[in-house]
Amino acid sequence: MFAQVELEHLRLQKDRLVRQSDANRLALTAELQRLRSPEYWKLNAGQVVRQHPLLTAVLGVGVGIIAIKALRQPGAAIGWLGRLSGAGSTLLALWNLVGRK
Protein backbone atom coordinates (compact mmCIF):
# COMPACT_ATOMS: atom_id res chain seq x y z
CA MET A 1 0.00 0.00 0.00
CA PHE A 2 2.77 2.41 0.94
CA ALA A 3 4.66 1.62 -2.30
CA GLN A 4 1.56 2.44 -4.37
CA VAL A 5 1.30 5.89 -2.78
CA GLU A 6 4.98 6.56 -3.47
CA LEU A 7 4.67 5.32 -7.06
CA GLU A 8 1.62 7.50 -7.64
CA HIS A 9 3.46 10.50 -6.18
CA LEU A 10 6.45 9.85 -8.47
CA ARG A 11 4.17 9.43 -11.50
CA LEU A 12 2.46 12.75 -10.77
CA GLN A 13 5.82 14.45 -10.27
CA LYS A 14 7.07 13.00 -13.57
CA ASP A 15 3.95 14.24 -15.39
CA ARG A 16 4.40 17.70 -13.89
CA LEU A 17 8.06 17.79 -14.95
CA VAL A 18 7.19 16.67 -18.48
CA ARG A 19 4.55 19.42 -18.78
CA GLN A 20 6.98 21.97 -17.40
CA SER A 21 9.65 20.84 -19.87
CA ASP A 22 7.18 21.13 -22.75
CA ALA A 23 6.22 24.63 -21.64
CA ASN A 24 9.89 25.65 -21.37
CA ARG A 25 10.56 24.23 -24.83
CA LEU A 26 7.67 26.24 -26.30
CA ALA A 27 8.84 29.42 -24.56
CA LEU A 28 12.39 28.88 -25.84
CA THR A 29 11.12 28.32 -29.38
CA ALA A 30 9.07 31.52 -29.23
CA GLU A 31 12.05 33.47 -27.88
CA LEU A 32 14.30 32.11 -30.64
CA GLN A 33 11.79 33.11 -33.31
CA ARG A 34 11.57 36.58 -31.81
CA LEU A 35 15.36 36.94 -31.80
CA ARG A 36 15.58 35.81 -35.43
CA SER A 37 13.06 38.41 -36.54
CA PRO A 38 14.51 41.50 -38.25
CA GLU A 39 11.72 43.62 -36.80
CA TYR A 40 12.92 42.85 -33.27
CA TRP A 41 16.44 44.06 -34.07
CA LYS A 42 15.16 47.18 -35.81
CA LEU A 43 12.97 48.07 -32.83
CA ASN A 44 15.76 47.31 -30.36
CA ALA A 45 18.29 49.37 -32.34
CA GLY A 46 15.83 52.26 -32.48
CA GLN A 47 15.36 52.16 -28.73
CA VAL A 48 19.12 52.13 -28.12
CA VAL A 49 19.57 55.13 -30.42
CA ARG A 50 16.86 57.05 -28.55
CA GLN A 51 18.27 56.15 -25.14
CA HIS A 52 21.95 56.81 -25.97
CA PRO A 53 22.16 59.36 -28.81
CA LEU A 54 25.68 60.54 -27.95
CA LEU A 55 27.08 57.02 -27.82
CA THR A 56 25.37 56.22 -31.11
CA ALA A 57 26.87 59.30 -32.75
CA VAL A 58 30.37 58.44 -31.49
CA LEU A 59 30.06 54.86 -32.70
CA GLY A 60 28.76 56.07 -36.06
CA VAL A 61 31.72 58.40 -36.49
CA GLY A 62 34.12 55.62 -35.49
CA VAL A 63 32.62 53.17 -37.95
CA GLY A 64 32.76 55.82 -40.66
CA ILE A 65 36.45 56.50 -40.02
CA ILE A 66 37.23 52.78 -40.07
CA ALA A 67 35.29 52.32 -43.31
CA ILE A 68 37.12 55.20 -45.00
CA LYS A 69 40.51 53.90 -43.86
CA ALA A 70 39.64 50.37 -44.99
CA LEU A 71 38.64 51.62 -48.44
CA ARG A 72 41.71 53.79 -48.90
CA GLN A 73 44.37 51.47 -47.42
CA PRO A 74 43.09 48.03 -46.46
CA GLY A 75 46.37 46.89 -44.85
CA ALA A 76 46.72 50.00 -42.71
CA ALA A 77 43.15 49.72 -41.46
CA ILE A 78 43.76 46.18 -40.25
CA GLY A 79 46.83 47.27 -38.26
CA TRP A 80 44.91 50.21 -36.83
CA LEU A 81 42.05 47.91 -35.80
CA GLY A 82 44.54 45.61 -34.06
CA ARG A 83 45.92 48.51 -32.01
CA LEU A 84 42.37 49.66 -31.24
CA SER A 85 41.37 46.20 -30.01
CA GLY A 86 44.45 46.07 -27.75
CA ALA A 87 43.56 49.44 -26.23
CA GLY A 88 39.94 48.33 -25.90
CA SER A 89 40.84 45.21 -23.97
CA THR A 90 43.06 47.27 -21.64
CA LEU A 91 40.24 49.76 -21.05
CA LEU A 92 37.79 46.93 -20.41
CA ALA A 93 40.14 45.35 -17.85
CA LEU A 94 40.49 48.71 -16.09
CA TRP A 95 36.72 49.21 -16.14
CA ASN A 96 36.18 45.78 -14.57
CA LEU A 97 38.84 46.48 -11.95
CA VAL A 98 37.26 49.80 -10.96
CA GLY A 99 33.76 48.34 -11.11
CA ARG A 100 34.54 45.69 -8.51
CA LYS A 101 35.48 48.21 -5.83
Side-chain angles (χ1 to χ4, degrees):
M1 191 78 175
F2 184 68
Q4 289 291 32
V5 172
E6 285 181 339
L7 286 175
E8 181 64 19
H9 175 71
L10 289 174
R11 187 188 65 76
L12 291 173
Q13 185 178 10
K14 176 187 167 193
D15 289 344
R16 182 180 57 83
L17 289 172
V18 167
R19 285 192 305 272
Q20 186 178 13
S21 176
D22 290 341
N24 287 340
R25 190 176 297 114
L26 287 173
L28 185 60
T29 302
E31 181 72 15
L32 185 60
Q33 287 176 349
R34 184 176 66 89
L35 288 175
R36 286 183 176 170
S37 134
E39 291 80 23
Y40 168 77
W41 292 105
K42 288 177 189 174
L43 178 66
N44 197 14
Q47 288 175 351
V48 169
V49 168
R50 283 189 293 278
Q51 290 175 354
H52 306 287
L54 183 61
L55 177 63
T56 304
V58 169
L59 288 175
V61 169
V63 168
I65 291 171
I66 291 170
I68 290 170
K69 285 189 178 275
L71 289 174
R72 287 188 179 169
Q73 296 175 343
I78 291 171
W80 188 73
L81 283 174
R83 289 191 303 273
L84 181 64
S85 69
S89 65
T90 303
L91 289 174
L92 183 62
L94 286 172
W95 179 268
N96 287 337
L97 182 66
V98 171
R100 289 185 191 156
K101 291 183 180 181

